[in-house]
Amino acid sequence: MDFTLNEYHRNVSDEDLIKDVINVAQKLKTTTLTLDEYSKNGKFHSSTLTRRFGSWKKVLELAHLDIKNHNFKLDYSDADLITDVIRVKSIYKKETITSEEYDVYGNYHSSTLIKHGKPWNKILEMAGLKANLNRNFSNEEMFEEIERIWIKLGRQPTSTDIKKGISKYSLQSYSRRFGGWRGALESFVNYINANTENIENQKELTLKEQEKPVEDSNFQHITNRDVNLRLRFKVFQRDNFKCCICGASPAKNPDIELHVDHIIPWSKGGETVLENLQTLCSKCNLGKSDLL
């Protein structure tokens, strides 16, 4: 059973983009907009519009907003920037922050700062914070993190979720590795759908076929007991990331922990195949034990 990503809305019209800029200006009751103001309040990111129209000045012109009195230069000092980075760090109560975490609460925007010769790790150094240098993690570790976030949210994660600091890896880390957040999701889907032991290349067993005479000393399982990441995610996704008994979900209660349970217990001849697995919360799983 393969699964697919949500539809990718890449064909947003020019008219819809400009209309959103106008709506943001009206909402903020201003005659002009900065890149940061739009990024924090718009449906899209300012970089989407600048790529589409060539410059932010062109965007403002098309939206009939003021460009005469708009300051297109960065209006900040290094001291202002350092103070703001430290302020945002205190909000997260962490030793250091990613550029995506800064963008949620910062007075400036990291992409603008980087474009003007201030790499994020250099900014952290200026503020006396630790640089984000750890890139020695595997694709599998990043896929495990995507799976954790997906289960936690109960839906496909967005780049906005990652920007809010929900992942232990930054959006830039995913982009460097996979060419963007969409690329990371597509790689994750390919990984989950890949042929693996206990998922593909095996006869699909019905529950009835799994009722083995386990008392027979010659009985041998044809699958391993452990459920790997690929199969585990497929079970959760099929069951909508909810407990099949009580309906509990981490998306509604972050204290809920989901487990994959053998419907026919392994000890009673059940195999580790999709048809014999279900999603249970830790409480229901403990109550079920090996009972049939």
Side-chain angles (χ1 to χ4, degrees), residues 38-270:
Y38 178 75
S39 292
K40 291 179 180 179
N41 297 280
K43 292 181 180 179
F44 312 99
H45 194 277
S46 59
S47 61
T48 301
L49 285 96
T50 54
R51 282 195 300 268
R52 179 74 65 88
F53 300 105
S55 70
W56 188 244
K57 181 179 179 180
K58 183 64 176 178
V59 171
L60 295 181
E61 288 177 342
L62 292 170
H64 302 294
L65 296 177
D66 182 20
I67 61 171
K68 183 177 180 180
N69 298 315
H70 187 97
N71 184 5
F72 290 99
K73 295 183 179 180
L74 288 175
D75 184 20
Y76 69 89
S77 66
D78 285 352
D80 291 333
L81 176 58
I82 291 170
T83 299
D84 198 51
V85 170
I86 294 174
R87 176 187 64 81
V88 174
K89 187 209 72 149
S90 67
I91 295 174
Y92 286 99
K93 298 179 181 179
K94 296 168 59 176
E95 291 185 2
T96 192
I97 55 175
T98 65
S99 59
E100 290 81 12
E101 289 171 335
Y102 173 78
D103 288 341
V104 176
Y105 298 106
N107 290 327
Y108 314 104
H109 198 278
S110 62
S111 62
T112 306
L113 300 170
I114 292 170
K115 285 179 182 177
H116 286 75
K118 285 186 169 59
W120 185 245
N121 280 337
K122 178 62 177 178
I123 294 172
L124 292 177
E125 182 182 328
M126 290 166 55
L129 305 181
K130 292 174 59 177
N132 296 307
L133 297 176
N134 183 18
R135 300 181 188 177
N136 297 320
F137 33 78
S138 66
N139 287 359
E140 286 73 18
E141 288 174 305
M142 301 187 85
F143 293 150
E144 286 180 2
E145 183 66 359
I146 292 175
E147 183 207 40
R148 183 190 68 80
I149 297 168
W150 205 313
I151 294 169
K152 177 182 177 67
L153 297 175
R155 59 169 172 78
Q156 180 179 309
T158 66
S159 58
T160 300
D161 295 322
I162 307 304
K163 288 178 182 178
K164 290 180 180 178
I166 194 172
S167 172
K168 67 180 181 180
Y169 306 118
S170 71
L171 187 60
Q172 288 181 339
S173 295
Y174 290 108
S175 296
R176 281 193 297 264
R177 184 68 61 87
F178 303 106
W181 178 241
R182 186 70 182 185
L185 291 177
E186 289 173 347
S187 297
F188 173 72
V189 168
N190 291 336
Y191 176 80
I192 294 297
N193 289 333
N195 291 345
T196 56
E197 183 183 5
N198 297 343
I199 302 180
E200 306 290 347
N201 297 328
Q202 289 185 0
K203 180 178 181 292
E204 291 188 0
L205 303 176
T206 66
L207 297 183
K208 185 176 181 179
E209 288 173 325
Q210 292 178 65
E211 295 175 352
K212 307 289 186 179
V214 294
E215 296 80 6
D216 186 344
S217 59
N218 295 322
F219 171 76
Q220 288 186 336
H221 279 284
I222 64 172
T223 58
N224 295 324
R225 181 170 189 166
D226 294 336
V227 182
N228 60 35
L229 184 149
R230 292 178 169 95
L231 184 53
R232 180 178 65 193
F233 186 83
K234 285 194 172 187
V235 174
F236 288 154
Q237 192 267 342
R238 181 201 61 195
D239 296 338
N240 296 315
F241 306 97
K242 297 178 182 179
C243 176
C244 291
I245 294 179
C246 70
S249 168
K252 295 182 178 179
N253 182 351
D255 294 329
I256 296 297
E257 181 180 354
L258 297 181
H259 295 171
V260 173
D261 168 69
H262 286 78
I263 298 173
I264 296 178
W266 173 267
S267 62
K268 298 186 183 330

Side-chain angles (χ1 to χ4, degrees), residues 6-46:
N6 296 338
E7 183 180 356
Y8 190 28
H9 301 288
R10 65 177 69 188
N11 296 319
V12 180
S13 68
D14 291 357
E15 181 182 357
D16 287 341
L17 289 173
I18 296 301
K19 187 181 295 185
D20 192 55
V21 173
I22 296 172
N23 289 339
V24 171
Q26 292 175 345
K27 176 184 175 182
L28 298 180
K29 298 179 180 179
T30 181
T31 59
T32 191
L33 277 177
T34 65
L35 290 159
D36 295 344
E37 286 173 337
Y38 178 75
S39 292
K40 291 179 180 179
N41 297 280
K43 292 181 180 179
F44 312 99
H45 194 277
S46 59

